[in-house]
Amino acid sequence: MMVINKRLDNILRTKLMMIVFWALFSIQIQAQLDGNSNESKYALDTLVRYGRLANGFTYYLRHNDQPEGEVEFHMVVKAGSGFEEDNQIGYAHLLEHLGAKSTKHFRDFHKYFRHSGRYSNAHTGLRWTYYHVTVPSKDKSVLDSALLSIKDRAADIVLEPGTIKVEQQAVLGEMRTNNPYDRWVGHEIEQRVQGFRGFHAPERDEMWSSMKKIDTTALFQFYREWYRPDLQAAIIVGDIQVDSMEVKIKEMFSDLSMPKSKHDAEKKIKAMQLASVNENQIVSVRDTVRSHLKAYILTNRENYHFAPKSVGDYRKMILKDLYDEIIKPRKLRLLETYHPPFSGFSTNYSSDQMAGGQLASTMTSVEFDADNGLPIKEKLITALTERKRMHLGFTQAELKSAKKLVLENYRSHHLSNNFFLAGRYLKHFVNGAPALSPIQEAVLVEKLLASTGLEEVQAFSDDYADLTKGTDIIFFTPPGQMPPRDEELEQWIELVQERPVAPMQPPTDVITSLISEVDVKRKDQPYRAHENMLGVSTITLDNGVKIVLKPTKSSSRIHKDRIGIFGFRRNRVPKQRDTDYVAAKVVPDIFRFMGAGAYSKFDIERFRRDYRMNLSWGLNHDIQFFKAESNTKELEELLSLLHLYMKKPVLDVDVFSAWKAHTLKDFEGKLIRHSSRFYLDEIEKLWYSEEPYLTSENLETYNDKKILSAYQKWYGDISHYTIIVTGDFEVDKVMAPLCDYFMDLPLTKRKRNKGHDLRYPLKPMKDTIRIKNSNQSNVMMYFPVVVPKDIKTRVSLDVVSKYFGKRAHARLREGCYAPVAGGQWMDEKNGVYAFWVEFDSELGNEDTLIQYALEEFRKVKEDGVDPQWMSTAISDMAHSYERQLNYYSYFDFWSEYLKKKMVLNEDPIPEVLEYKTLLEHFIDVEDVNEAARTYMQEDFYQHFIVLPENYSPAK
C-alpha cells in the first residue's frame, strides 16, 4: 500500500511540476512576444548570441550540431527588390548574382565554396537579399574564409563590366521559362490581387526592358545606398565557438562605414504595406491562348505566419495550420473524380508569398470548357457550392488528426537544422518575426493546440468560405467570349452564400489494407540467397524470376526505413506492328489514370498517399520496367497493390477519356513543364525514327478496350523479370514476402525476347524541333564517340566531362541562366559515349551560344584540364562516389548500376572495387588529357534546336 501511495505521490508531484513549468513558460513567452517589437532581443531563441555593433551591423551566433561538423554562414541585407527605384528594376537581383559570383578576396566564389563539402548560394526577396555558404567546421582556415566572405559581400562585391554582362544574361535567362503561358497567368493574377490592395510590383515587360539595358550608375547607387552596416547582419549557426566568433565579428565588422547620406529604409518598408485586405474585385483579362473561359477565385486574408507579434497571433497561425490540414484531404476528395466541380484548389496560393508574404490566399480555379456541357452560371454556382461545402461541418476526428499533424510539423527534426535556424533568424532580423527555439515553439504550439476547440476552427474556416470580403474573381477571357456581368456574378455569389448546404460526409470507401485482397501462397521453408562481396544477395525463384537485394543506409530522415523495387525485363513488344507497339508504349502513361480490382484510381491514390507509396511502369526500346517504393513495414501492402494491378487492372471509358484529354493538352503544350523531358522525347524520336510513337493524329485510333488489351498482354505477367531491391532494410526481414509475392504472379509461355537492336545513330545530325507554348530556344548538343569500356577509361572520361561541364557552364552564363554540360553513355553495349551540352537562350541568340559551347569543347580537347582544379575535383568525386555506394536517396545508384550490368551481362564487382582507387591513386593529369585529346571528337557532332512553333528568325 505504501508503495502505491509513493507512486501516486510521484505522479502528482510530476503533474504539479508540469503545471508550474507551463505557467512559468507561458509567462516567459508572452513577455517576449508582447515586448517592444522594435527591439530584436524579444522573442528570440535564448541560445542565440545576439549583438549589434556601433555602426549598426547585427550578428546572430548559435552553436548547433545538426548536422554535425558543419557551419552555416549567412550575410543578410535588409533590402531587396522592393527598395528599387524606377531606373533600378531588377537590380537587387542582379546585384545578388554579382555578389554570388565574385568578391574582393574570392574572385571566383564558386571555385572556392562549391567543393570538398562546401556549398554557396544566394537569394533575393522583396525586403531582403541574402548570401550563404555551408562549410565543414574541422578546417579553421575554411571557417576564417567563410567569415571573410561575409565581410566581402557586405562591402566588397566586384562590379566590373565583364562580370555585370555575364550576370545580366543569367538574370534574363532566369526570367525565361519552359511554360510562358502559365507564368503569364500567374503574373497577371498577382498583379491584379496585389495592385488592387495598394501593393505595386513591376510588370514583367518593365523588368525585361530594365535588364536588357543596364544603367551601371543606378546599379552602383543601389549598392551604395542599401548595402550598409545598419541594414546588414551576419548569421552563423553550427559547430562554432560562440565567444571567439563574437570577438572576430567585432574585430572585422566594426570598421564598416555608413554612407554620407542615409536613405530611409523604413519609408520603403511602409510603402510596401497593404491597404485594406477586405475589398473585393471582379476583373477580366484578355486571353488569346485558351479556347475556353477560365476563372480564378482568390480569398485573401492577413498572413499571420509573416511576423506574429503576440501569443494571440500565434493562435491565429495555428488556426490556419489546422484549417490547412483539414481542408487538404477534403479538397482531394472533391477533385478525385473525372468531372470535378472545380479544376484546382489551394489553401496556400503562391506559397503565401503574395504581396511579399503579407497575404494568405486560397485559390479556386474553374474551367468553363466542354466537359458536362454545363453553362457558365450552373458550372460556377456548382463550383462555389462545393467550395462552400468543403468548408463546413468539421468533425472532432478531423480536428484530432489535424492537431497531430500540426504538432508533428512543429516537432520535426529538421527544425533544429543549421540552415533552418539561420532562416528563422533572417526573418527575425528582416521582419521582426519571433525566432523562438524549436523546442520553445513546439511547447507553445502544443499548449495552443490543447486549448483550441472545434468551434474556433470551424469559425476560422467559415471566414475563408466567405466570398463577400477579400475576394478577387479574375476571368481569363478568350476572344469572342464574355464573362458574366458583375451584377450577375454578385447575385450568384449571394445565392451560394445564403443557400443552405449540407456539410461534406466522411469517405466510406477508404482502403485500410490490400493484403486481404490477394491470396498469396506462403512458403513454409526459408528462402536462401547467395551474397557476394558487395553485399548484394541474389535468389532465383522456381518461376524464373531473379530477385537481387542490396541494402544500404538512408541518406536522410526522409529515406529512413524506405525500400525501393525496380523490376525489369527486355522489351518484348514487336515493333513491326505499329498500332500494337504504340498501345503498349502508352500504357505507362495511362497507368496513372487506372484503377485495380474494386478500386478506382482515386481510391488507390488516397491509399498510396496515406502509406507514402509509389508505383509506376515504363517502357523504352531496350527494357520494360516498373518502379515501386514504400516504407519497409508496408512492403506487403505495396506488393499487394502490384498484384492487383497485374491481375485486375481497371480501364473504362471515363478513365480513357480523362487520359486522352490530358494527352491532348500535352500535345498542345498546355501542361506544366518541370524539366527538359518534353523536348528530349522529341530528340529520341529523331534518333530512333524506326520506333513507332503516339501522335495527335493516331491518338484517335485507340480506345479503352484496345489499351486494356495491351495492358493485359504485355504488363499482366512476371515472366523473365529481374527484381532489384534497394533501400534501408534488413535482407532477412524482407526476403520471405518478396519471394512469396513474386512467386504468386502470373506467367506466360512466351520465349525470352532478346529486345530490340536499336542502335544509337553514330552520325552527324542537325535538326530543328518546333513546340507549342514557348518563348525561348532550347539547345541540346552531343559529341558521340566510340570508346573502350575498361574502368580506367571510364574514370578518365568522368573527370574530363566534369571539367568540360564547369567550363561550358561558366562560358554559357553569358547568355543563359542555367546551362549544363557533361558526359554520358548513349549506347554502352556498343561503346558509344557522348559529351553533351544543354542550355536555353533568348530567341535569336542560340547560334552565338552554340559557338561558345564549341569553343569550350575545343579548348578542353586542346589544352586539357587545369591541374589545380583536378586535385580538388578528384577528392570531391571520390567522396560523392563513396556516398552513393553507401546511402539510399532520391538518386538510387544501386538499382541503376545493377540493372546496367545485368543488361550488359557484365560482372558488377570489379568496377565498384576499382573505381575509387583508380580515381584517387592511378589517374593523373596526363591520363585525363590523353582521354580528352582522343575522345573529344566532332566527327559525329549533333545539335538540336527547339524553337516556338510559329517563330521565324530575323533575316
Side-chain angles (χ1 to χ4, degrees), residues 531-548:
E531 182 178 341
N532 69 13
M533 63 190 305
L534 299 179
V536 176
S537 301
T538 304
I539 181 172
T540 302
L541 303 179
D542 293 342
N543 61 3
V545 172
K546 180 185 289 186
I547 299 179
V548 181

Side-chain angles (χ1 to χ4, degrees), residues 94 224 227 347 357 542 618 722 778 944:
L94 175 60
R224 287 193 303 269
Y227 276 58
T347 60
D542 293 342
T722 296
N778 295 87
F944 305 92

Side-chain angles (χ1 to χ4, degrees), residues 330-337 340-342 386 390 504:
R330 286 176 162 233
K331 168 199 74 173
L332 291 172
R333 278 157 52 197
L334 283 176
L335 292 174
E336 286 172 345
T337 169
F342 38 75
E386 293 306 311
M390 182 171 61
M504 284 186 75

Side-chain angles (χ1 to χ4, degrees), residues 38 82 126-127 194-200 265-277 306 309 354-359 430-431:
N38 291 324
L126 188 76
R127 300 175 180 229
Q194 296 173 162
F196 183 67
R197 290 168 178 81
F199 182 94
H200 299 286
E266 289 300 319
K267 184 178 179 181
K268 287 286 187 181
I269 292 173
K270 287 178 182 178
M272 289 183 264
Q273 292 176 353
L274 293 174
S276 173
V277 174
F306 179 69
K309 295 293 190 295
M354 294 278 275
Q358 297 175 84
L359 284 180
V430 174
N431 299 334

